[in-house]
Amino acid sequence: MDNSKVRCYVCERNCTIALGRRGFCGAYENRDGCLVHVGWGRLSAAESRPIEIKPLFHYWPNSTSLTFSGWGCNFLCPWCQNYLLSWVRVCVDGPVVPPERLVEWARRAGDEGLCASFNEPVTLFDYLLDLAEVARREGFYLSLVTNAYFTTRAVDALVGAGWDGWSVDIKGCPEASRRRRDVLPGVDHEVVFRNARRVLDNGGHVEMIYLVVPGYNDVCAEWIIERHLDYLGPDVPLHVNRYYPAFRWGEPPTPVETLLRIAEKARRAGIKYVYVGNVHDPELEATRCPRCGKVLVVREGYRVTHWGLVEEGGRYRCPRCGEIIPIRGKYVGPKPTRYITFI
Ligand code: SF4
């Protein structure tokens, strides 16, 4: 490699960046032969939100987290709901939010944690490591909504720093890539599962999100279910979510029957916690005991409206049959829905 070029190892794109240029996501730049995180602390949004909206259903239930984002993305999906943040490059003249201020906002909002979301957290990698030091000292949990296309080194660093709640978006499969070569070219969809496994091996918590996009990844159900069970096992929740038209993708919303069919297939294959999201039906977002069928947790409007688990020695059980239900963190009790915006 030319001496003036640098390589970025934050995500699996492994960009080779020429002098004065930036990598694919726009957040890392080659300045005088050094890789500089120009996205450090340059935030596009910050708002206190329920954890259930991520979605994370088995992680600090009913808590709220100070949710924040940077600029840019390493993927660029044409159906992106947040393309105004993702499809733009970070402006280096923008203000910087120091980690201490973000943590102060979380404290002021009464949040239990922080969450990197809205755009891809890859663009904030070094900032996340610095933020973790401040936030963990203050006792906040740390979660992220991500395509999980980090390198394994980056996954290890994040989980090691305290980023232990991962809501992982599955974008596609080899068949989807064959069907539409112009969408996410060069992306290896298997990496997402490899990294989700890596998070679990490092002691983190994972929930997988399959946004079913007609015309692209609606052919992926079997591949995804198979990978889910092979890499992650039956206890990791799977959210089968409805897509709505956005940005450059004009297909009509995913038919609800398609979502129900996929969810049923996933359950029959052995995944214990399967949810259908973005259709606003509490029945489809409730947690049932996989052993006796009892309804244990009901959610509505991104809030827990019924909590029926019993806590015993730091673990949560079904009160009827005693089955252990995997929950990371604590159920925080009744808490109203609030969206407090700082940026
Ligand atoms: S984080 Fe950005 S610059 Fe680094 S490899 Fe990924 S896309 Fe390229």
Side-chain angles (χ1 to χ4, degrees):
M1 189 168 72
D2 172 348
N3 270 347
S4 63
K5 289 183 176 168
V6 292
R7 176 157 289 169
C8 175
Y9 291 99
V10 172
C11 88
E12 284 291 345
R13 285 206 177 272
N14 287 140
C15 298
T16 301
I17 309 172
L19 210 53
R21 308 299 294 244
R22 295 195 199 166
F24 184 95
C25 66
Y28 284 86
E29 186 173 297
N30 177 350
R31 284 195 190 156
D32 302 324
C34 287
L35 188 65
V36 175
H37 185 201
V38 292
W40 197 96
R42 297 185 199 281
L43 303 188
S44 53
E47 183 175 87
S48 170
R49 294 184 143 216
I51 195 73
E52 281 76 18
I53 207 170
K54 311 302 172 195
L56 283 170
F57 282 5
H58 291 236
Y59 181 85
W60 288 95
N62 226 33
S63 67
T64 58
S65 52
L66 200 280
T67 307
F68 61 94
S69 52
W71 302 94
C73 188
N74 59 344
F75 265 24
L76 304 180
C77 307
W79 52 82
C80 184
Q81 298 274 351
N82 291 327
Y83 64 93
L84 291 173
L85 317 179
S86 299
W87 282 65
V88 293
R89 288 164 92 74
V90 63
C91 169
V92 289
D93 296 328
V96 163
V97 178
E100 291 77 10
R101 193 175 311 153
L102 208 53
V103 168
E104 170 54 26
W105 288 343
R107 202 184 303 119
R108 239 199 280 166
D111 294 329
E112 286 79 17
L114 289 97
C115 181
S117 181
F118 303 135
N119 84 320
E120 174 48 50
V122 147
T123 61
L124 286 172
F125 175 70
D126 285 82
Y127 181 71
L128 297 182
L129 297 181
D130 294 336
L131 174 59
E133 273 191 46
V134 183
R136 296 300 294 159
R137 267 203 308 270
E138 304 273 334
F140 290 102
Y141 69 65
L142 296 170
S143 63
L144 62 167
V145 178
T146 176
N147 59 33
Y149 212 60
F150 293 97
T151 57
T152 50
R153 269 202 272 174
V155 172
D156 295 349
L158 284 170
V159 183
W163 292 91
D164 72 344
W166 289 57
S167 173
V168 173
D169 283 320
I170 309 157
K171 302 294 184 185
C173 63
E175 179 56 22
S177 297
R178 272 192 291 276
R179 188 187 199 188
R180 287 293 303 261
R181 291 181 196 279
D182 56 324
V183 175
L184 301 175
V187 166
D188 177 355
H189 298 287
E190 192 112 11
V191 164
V192 176
F193 289 94
R194 179 203 73 189
N195 282 351
R197 178 69 248 169
R198 190 103 181 173
V199 173
L200 295 178
D201 289 343
N202 277 304
H205 172 84
V206 169
E207 298 188 30
M208 302 300 283
I209 322 302
Y210 174 17
L211 180 76
V212 184
V213 180
Y216 181 62
N217 68 14
D218 50 346
V219 291
C220 297
E222 266 145 42
W223 187 87
I224 287 171
I225 292 166
E226 208 175 282
R227 292 298 175 288
H228 187 108
L229 286 164
D230 283 356
Y231 278 89
L232 311 172
D235 284 333
V236 168
L238 174 66
H239 299 257
V240 181
N241 280 359
R242 190 178 202 196
Y243 137 99
Y244 289 91
F247 193 35
R248 295 179 177 168
W249 208 261
E251 293 283 332
T254 329
V256 175
E257 311 78 69
T258 304
L259 302 168
L260 296 177
R261 204 174 47 242
I262 294 172
E264 188 51 30
K265 204 177 270 185
R267 282 188 204 102
R268 279 178 194 275
I271 301 176
K272 291 182 187 168
Y273 308 98
V274 182
Y275 303 101
V276 175
N278 293 349
V279 294
H280 309 294
D281 181 345
E283 274 280 304
L284 303 175
E285 294 189 322
T287 302
R288 288 178 175 73
C289 175
R291 198 196 306 177
C292 72
K294 183 175 171 58
V295 174
L296 300 171
V297 184
V298 179
R299 303 169 183 89
E300 205 167 344
Y302 305 121
R303 297 285 67 195
V304 172
T305 52
H306 165 74
W307 182 260
L309 290 168
V310 290
E311 195 184 351
E312 219 181 79
R315 300 214 278 189
Y316 288 97
R317 289 181 184 277
C318 170
R320 185 154 75 190
C321 70
E323 175 82 353
I324 292 170
I325 309 298
I327 301 282
R328 168 66 66 103
K330 276 191 175 309
Y331 167 56
V332 304
K335 199 175 179 186
T337 311
R338 294 167 316 153
Y339 297 85
I340 303 167
T341 306
F342 293 91
I343 299 178

Short mmCIF file of all heavy atoms in Angstrom, two decimals, residues 62 303-304 331-336:
data_model
loop_
_atom_site.label_atom_id
_atom_site.label_comp_id
_atom_site.label_asym_id
_atom_site.label_seq_id
_atom_site.Cartn_x
_atom_site.Cartn_y
_atom_site.Cartn_z
N ASN A 62 -38.87 -1.23 30.10
CA ASN A 62 -39.58 0.00 30.49
C ASN A 62 -38.65 1.14 30.90
O ASN A 62 -39.11 2.13 31.46
CB ASN A 62 -40.60 -0.26 31.60
CG ASN A 62 -41.91 0.42 31.29
OD1 ASN A 62 -42.29 0.53 30.12
ND2 ASN A 62 -42.61 0.90 32.29
N ARG A 303 -44.34 0.98 25.66
CA ARG A 303 -44.26 0.90 27.10
C ARG A 303 -44.75 -0.45 27.57
O ARG A 303 -45.60 -1.07 26.92
CB ARG A 303 -45.12 1.98 27.78
CG ARG A 303 -44.71 3.41 27.50
CD ARG A 303 -43.47 3.84 28.27
NE ARG A 303 -42.26 3.15 27.83
CZ ARG A 303 -41.11 3.13 28.51
NH1 ARG A 303 -41.03 3.72 29.67
NH2 ARG A 303 -40.06 2.50 28.04
N VAL A 304 -44.23 -0.92 28.71
CA VAL A 304 -44.72 -2.16 29.31
C VAL A 304 -46.00 -1.83 30.04
O VAL A 304 -45.98 -1.00 30.97
CB VAL A 304 -43.66 -2.75 30.27
CG1 VAL A 304 -44.24 -3.93 31.04
CG2 VAL A 304 -42.41 -3.17 29.49
N TYR A 331 -36.25 -4.72 35.23
CA TYR A 331 -37.50 -4.04 34.89
C TYR A 331 -37.59 -2.82 35.79
O TYR A 331 -37.50 -2.95 37.02
CB TYR A 331 -38.67 -5.00 35.13
CG TYR A 331 -40.02 -4.32 35.12
CD1 TYR A 331 -40.44 -3.58 34.03
CD2 TYR A 331 -40.88 -4.42 36.22
CE1 TYR A 331 -41.68 -2.95 34.03
CE2 TYR A 331 -42.13 -3.81 36.23
CZ TYR A 331 -42.51 -3.07 35.12
OH TYR A 331 -43.73 -2.44 35.13
N VAL A 332 -37.75 -1.63 35.20
CA VAL A 332 -37.64 -0.42 36.02
C VAL A 332 -38.96 0.02 36.63
O VAL A 332 -39.01 1.03 37.33
CB VAL A 332 -37.00 0.77 35.24
CG1 VAL A 332 -35.65 0.39 34.68
CG2 VAL A 332 -37.93 1.27 34.15
N GLY A 333 -40.05 -0.71 36.35
CA GLY A 333 -41.35 -0.35 36.92
C GLY A 333 -42.07 0.64 36.03
O GLY A 333 -41.57 1.03 34.98
N PRO A 334 -43.29 1.04 36.44
CA PRO A 334 -44.09 1.93 35.60
C PRO A 334 -43.35 3.25 35.33
O PRO A 334 -42.77 3.82 36.24
CB PRO A 334 -45.35 2.18 36.43
CG PRO A 334 -45.38 1.06 37.41
CD PRO A 334 -43.96 0.67 37.68
N LYS A 335 -43.39 3.68 34.09
CA LYS A 335 -42.72 4.92 33.69
C LYS A 335 -43.45 5.46 32.47
O LYS A 335 -43.68 4.72 31.52
CB LYS A 335 -41.26 4.60 33.36
CG LYS A 335 -40.35 5.81 33.38
CD LYS A 335 -38.89 5.41 33.17
CE LYS A 335 -38.03 6.66 33.17
NZ LYS A 335 -36.64 6.39 32.83
N PRO A 336 -43.84 6.72 32.46
CA PRO A 336 -44.62 7.23 31.30
C PRO A 336 -43.76 7.34 30.05
O PRO A 336 -42.54 7.40 30.12
CB PRO A 336 -45.05 8.62 31.77
CG PRO A 336 -44.08 9.00 32.83
CD PRO A 336 -43.61 7.74 33.47
#
